[in-house]
Every structure is written in structure tokens, then in C-alpha cells.
Amino acid sequence: MKLELSKNKDFWAGMMLLGIGVAAMFISRDYRFGSALRMGPGFFPTILGGILTAFGICIMAVGLRSGEKIQGSLSLRALVMLPLSLILFGILMQLAGFIPALVALVFVSAASGREFRLMEVLLLTVLLTVASVALFIWGLGLPYPLIKGF
């Protein structure tokens, strides 16, 4: 049995989780940790980083046992559109408000796939926008304007 790590999808998914988890713990190392009752600013990123690291190691181990290969090719459109949607969200949050930023995020990220269907994306946009406004703005009370100027 020949093991090719460069084409093993579970191995690379585990490596991604492991990298993000270790980076989170590394970045938060200088923050005060606190305790479970009085959490400091380093508590959440350190714990989450540890959980991501553990999941990453488990997924890497599964990948090394199964040997399942990556199928298909790399999508250049997704590599460009997905980061662009996040950048647009950040810019539009400042310039236009929460709702326009969220609409742009959903539309641009949906356009990164090959199966873009306008009615499905519109429905998804409405549902995600309503749920996000209810949760983040009304539920958690985050101080973001829904639409800038209103």
C-alpha cells in the first residue's frame, strides 16, 4: 500500500484544523487565561485552539488509515470569490451597514460555486439575514447599524 499524502483529503483537512488550532493557541499565549468562572481574554481562543488541534489530529489519523484521494480539480473561481466575499463583508459593514454586508457576503460566496441558482440564493439571503439580525443585533445587542444612515 503506497501512501500519498499530497492527495489525501482527510490528511489535509486535519492539517488545516491542526494549523488553525495551533495558531490560535500561539496567538493567545500572552492573553490572561482566567478560570472557568472568570474567563480572561485568552480562555476562549486557547480552549477552541486545543479542540481544533485535537480534531485535526483525529482527522489526520483517519486520513492516514483510509487513503481516500482528492477528486476533481482546484476551483480558481472559489479561491478568488470566497476571500473576496469576506473582504467585501468587512468593507460594507463600515460603509453600508449589517444587512447590505450580509447580502453581499451570501451572493458573492454563492457565486463562487458552479450551481448558482438565483431563487435559491435569494431565499437563502432572506433567511440568513433575518436569522442574523435576530441573533446578533436583537438577541446579542451588537451595536451594528442595520443600514448605514437609518
Side-chain angles (χ1 to χ4, degrees):
M1 181 175 123
K2 185 178 175 187
L3 186 62
E4 286 187 52
L5 294 179
S6 65
K7 299 205 182 242
N8 188 311
K9 70 178 188 174
D10 286 336
F11 175 79
W12 288 110
M15 282 294 291
M16 179 188 69
L17 290 176
L18 180 70
I20 292 170
V22 168
M25 291 191 309
F26 180 77
I27 291 169
S28 67
R29 74 187 186 287
D30 291 332
Y31 299 154
R32 190 175 53 80
F33 187 77
S35 67
L37 292 177
R38 296 192 53 91
M39 296 178 198
F43 189 89
F44 184 74
T46 302
I47 297 297
L48 183 61
I51 291 169
L52 285 174
T53 301
F55 280 146
I57 291 169
C58 291
I59 291 172
M60 282 174 54
V62 167
L64 290 173
R65 285 190 351 185
S66 72
E68 189 173 345
K69 304 260 188 282
I70 297 173
Q71 296 177 357
S73 61
L74 194 61
S75 170
L76 184 61
R77 182 187 336 171
L79 282 173
V80 171
M81 299 292 275
L82 290 174
L84 178 66
S85 69
L86 294 172
I87 292 168
L88 251 164
F89 179 79
I91 291 170
L92 287 175
M93 276 292 290
Q94 295 293 318
L95 299 177
F98 188 70
I99 292 175
L102 196 56
V103 168
L105 175 73
V106 173
F107 264 89
V108 175
S109 60
S112 70
R114 295 181 183 178
E115 298 153 359
F116 183 89
R117 291 185 181 88
L118 184 61
M119 291 309 294
E120 289 178 5
V121 174
L122 283 172
L123 180 63
L124 179 66
T125 302
V126 169
L127 291 174
L128 283 176
T129 301
V130 168
S132 296
V133 167
L135 176 67
F136 296 112
I137 306 299
W138 298 330
L140 294 175
L142 296 179
Y144 300 125
L146 293 179
I147 298 174
K148 197 77 165 197
F150 286 97

